[in-house]
Amino acid sequence: MRPSSSFLAAGAGRAGWLLLFLAAPVVAQQAPDPLPPPEPERFGIHAQATYIRQQKHAFQAPYSGVNSLSPERERSYSFTSTAFLGLRLAPETELYFNPEVVQGVPMSRLTGLGGLTNGELQKTAGAKPVAYRARLFLRQTWGLGGEREAVEADANQLAGVRDKRRVTVTVGNFAASDIFDDNAYAHDARTQFLNWSFLTHGAYDFAADSRGYSWGVALEYRHDDDWTVRAGRFLQPRESNGLKLDRRFFRRYGDQIELERSHTVAGRPGAVRLLAFRNVATMGGFRDALAYAAQTGDTPDVAPVRQRRTKLGAGVNLEQQVADDVGVFARWARNDGRSETYAFAEIDRSWSVGTTIGGRTWGRPADALGIAHAQNGLSPAHRDFLAAGGAGFFVGDGRLRYRTEQITETYYRIGFAGPANLQNALSVGFQYIRNPAYNADRGPVRVVSARLHTEF
């Protein structure tokens, strides 16, 4: 430390220098030592529980179809509980197991919207609790040298130290969205936005069973703090939105590749992610269904024309911190829209934007406010199929006056600590949906939400 001129002037010549010399080692001894890196965690236990209650107000609808959102007032709830168990088998080898319980009653049998209102409600949800294995996977990391970074203990993450430059392979039973299209501000319905349109790209029809999980393998290469490349293949369900997976890994699958570029703007972190995906499965084509219906005189249906097809899609994902405790995000994606939705939402075109503001701004650091807007659309072939009376897995009003589906969601989350290291949050939210299921003749839809989340 160099003494200032004012300090020297206040001293008395050599005596001032002598005092400074004697004080210097004292100052050095008072400086805190850097914290040592955390010891590698051998075993980790975490858990979460989330309860969500929603209510939809009645809305105008001159007609309804087999997969329409009911125009009557409805209530819905979901409950999930998950244990995250991790074991370090070797210095860079980790095994994870996640048993899960789910229970819930959806609105209108979970139909009638492209962007469904509760990301925790699964397609297999019912009034009775169901327990199952959500994840069972192995993670192997190979460090490639360079700088090291600390890893904090978290769900499916053991504390320790790792190389910033590394290769990681994840193999087993998990979700494609665990690896791909992450976003710091819109990715988790348990703590962030609830609508499916904000969990990932709406048009990202990623391979999964009806609970959102699959078996597969993902490879990731990370170069220090800037570049990351990911690629993965996952099993498809035997039939669209089904629970049982097709084990033919080289005949029915979902491939994805993602390039991520991390950066700073004015010293604040951000990231850009480019995603491309390809699905190969037994799917029905919309044009084929329309042609078949014209021949038979029946209502269009994809079931009679299912065959092995390929669906292609791509998306861009942006996130950026813009101020202390304030971040923004944006997504844009589309798929070819030629064949039926196979595993995710009935959306062929999608974009979304939003912001999350941390409560530190108003003196409540555990709180957060989120505001976002999404627009979902369909391909021309998909529109014609629905307009002719066809029905997909989620939507089908019997006819269609097409408009893009517009969704605005806001939430306020109140965070508070509980006993035994429990971290709790109570959220209230509101969703306003214009043109539900892409139909200008129906809606708008208003949904209010309450969510209680706890974790340790």
Side-chain angles (χ1 to χ4, degrees):
M1 181 174 63
R2 179 175 294 174
S4 67
S5 59
S6 61
F7 179 82
L8 293 176
R14 296 180 180 178
W17 282 105
L18 179 60
L19 289 173
L20 180 63
F21 177 80
L22 294 174
V26 175
V27 173
Q29 291 173 4
Q30 292 175 345
D33 294 331
L35 294 175
E39 289 293 326
E41 190 177 26
R42 180 59 188 270
F43 187 80
I45 301 177
H46 298 267
Q48 76 83 31
T50 306
Y51 177 80
I52 298 170
R53 188 84 177 183
Q54 292 189 320
Q55 179 174 297
K56 171 178 64 66
H57 298 284
F59 64 90
Q60 294 295 321
Y63 54 86
S64 296
V66 293
N67 279 352
S68 290
L69 187 68
S70 171
E72 305 298 324
R73 180 177 176 178
E74 285 186 288
R75 293 180 178 178
S76 170
Y77 79 90
S78 67
F79 172 77
T80 63
S81 181
T82 316
F84 305 94
L85 310 178
L87 176 65
R88 190 180 300 276
L89 303 178
E92 294 185 313
T93 307
E94 302 158 11
L95 177 67
Y96 294 95
F97 172 52
N98 296 173
E100 191 164 68
V101 175
V102 65
Q103 178 183 0
V105 174
M107 292 182 286
S108 302
R109 309 181 325 278
L110 205 64
T111 62
L113 292 169
L116 297 162
T117 62
N118 183 354
E120 281 288 271
L121 262 173
Q122 301 174 358
K123 302 160 193 173
T124 58
K128 294 183 179 180
V130 177
Y132 55 90
R133 180 197 64 244
R135 299 178 182 87
L136 177 62
F137 66 90
L138 188 73
R139 179 186 296 144
Q140 175 65 51
T141 302
W142 291 275
L144 301 178
E147 294 184 20
R148 305 269 283 170
E149 64 180 4
V151 180
E152 296 183 357
D154 204 347
N156 289 339
Q157 181 172 284
L158 295 174
V161 180
R162 64 188 176 192
D163 291 354
K164 289 186 175 181
R165 190 178 306 163
R166 61 186 181 272
V167 173
T168 304
V169 172
T170 306
V171 59
N173 178 200
F174 56 106
S177 56
D178 292 342
I179 306 292
F180 297 91
D181 193 46
D182 193 10
N183 192 289
Y185 308 110
H187 194 62
D188 184 3
R190 292 167 179 170
T191 59
Q192 299 170 330
F193 297 97
L194 284 170
N195 196 282
W196 287 31
S197 304
F198 304 114
L199 303 182
T200 183
H201 295 294
Y204 179 23
D205 195 11
F206 62 89
D209 62 21
S210 53
R211 293 184 177 129
Y213 304 104
S214 183
W215 284 81
V217 57
L219 174 67
E220 177 180 276
Y221 167 69
R222 184 171 183 85
H223 182 79
D224 297 327
D225 289 325
D226 43 14
W227 291 99
T228 305
V229 180
R230 304 178 183 91
R233 171 170 287 191
F234 296 85
L235 296 178
Q236 293 280 11
R238 294 182 183 178
E239 57 186 25
S240 60
N241 290 285
L243 183 58
K244 293 185 178 180
L245 294 171
D246 192 326
R247 303 293 180 179
R248 291 174 290 182
F249 195 64
F250 297 99
R251 288 284 297 170
R252 307 284 188 268
Y253 52 82
D255 287 339
Q256 40 270 300
I257 185 169
E258 184 176 56
L259 177 64
E260 177 179 329
R261 176 69 165 94
S262 299
H263 61 260
T264 59
V265 176
R268 301 187 183 278
V272 179
R273 302 176 183 90
L274 306 179
L275 173 74
F277 70 93
R278 177 185 66 171
N279 291 339
V280 178
T282 303
M283 299 178 281
F286 297 122
R287 294 298 183 198
D288 289 347
L290 287 166
Y292 185 80
Q295 296 174 2
T296 62
D298 296 329
T299 301
D301 186 1
V302 294
V305 296
R306 283 182 175 135
Q307 62 184 27
R308 189 171 184 263
R309 302 176 191 266
T310 298
K311 176 184 287 189
L312 301 175
V316 181
N317 173 341
L318 310 173
E319 68 176 66
Q320 181 64 53
Q321 185 187 83
V322 295
D324 292 344
D325 226 17
V326 179
V328 297
F329 73 91
R331 284 187 174 103
W332 174 91
R334 66 184 296 159
N335 62 59
D336 57 40
R338 295 196 296 262
S339 53
E340 65 183 305
T341 297
Y342 207 73
F344 188 50
E346 200 147 349
I347 302 171
D348 302 326
R349 316 279 189 263
S350 64
W351 62 260
S352 61
V353 294
T355 182
T356 298
I357 305 171
R360 186 174 289 107
T361 307
W362 52 91
R364 292 188 57 85
D367 292 7
L369 171 67
I371 304 171
H373 180 79
Q375 178 174 295
N376 301 322
L378 300 177
S379 68
H382 201 164
R383 301 175 205 171
D384 293 345
F385 172 78
L386 294 175
F393 190 86
F394 291 110
V395 302
D397 293 332
R399 64 183 92 164
L400 181 69
R401 187 161 69 94
Y402 178 76
R403 293 289 187 278
T404 56
E405 185 180 76
Q406 309 275 339
I407 301 170
T408 301
E409 180 178 353
T410 183
Y411 72 86
Y412 187 87
R413 187 179 71 237
I414 303 169
F416 56 97
N421 295 323
L422 289 178
Q423 298 299 315
N424 307 304
L426 175 64
S427 303
V428 292
F430 177 74
Q431 297 179 46
Y432 181 79
I433 305 172
R434 297 181 58 196
N435 311 320
Y438 316 98
N439 199 337
D441 290 337
R442 310 179 87 248
V445 179
R446 297 171 176 85
V447 178
V448 294
S449 307
R451 172 179 58 195
L452 180 61
H453 172 77
T454 185
E455 64 181 50
F456 71 85

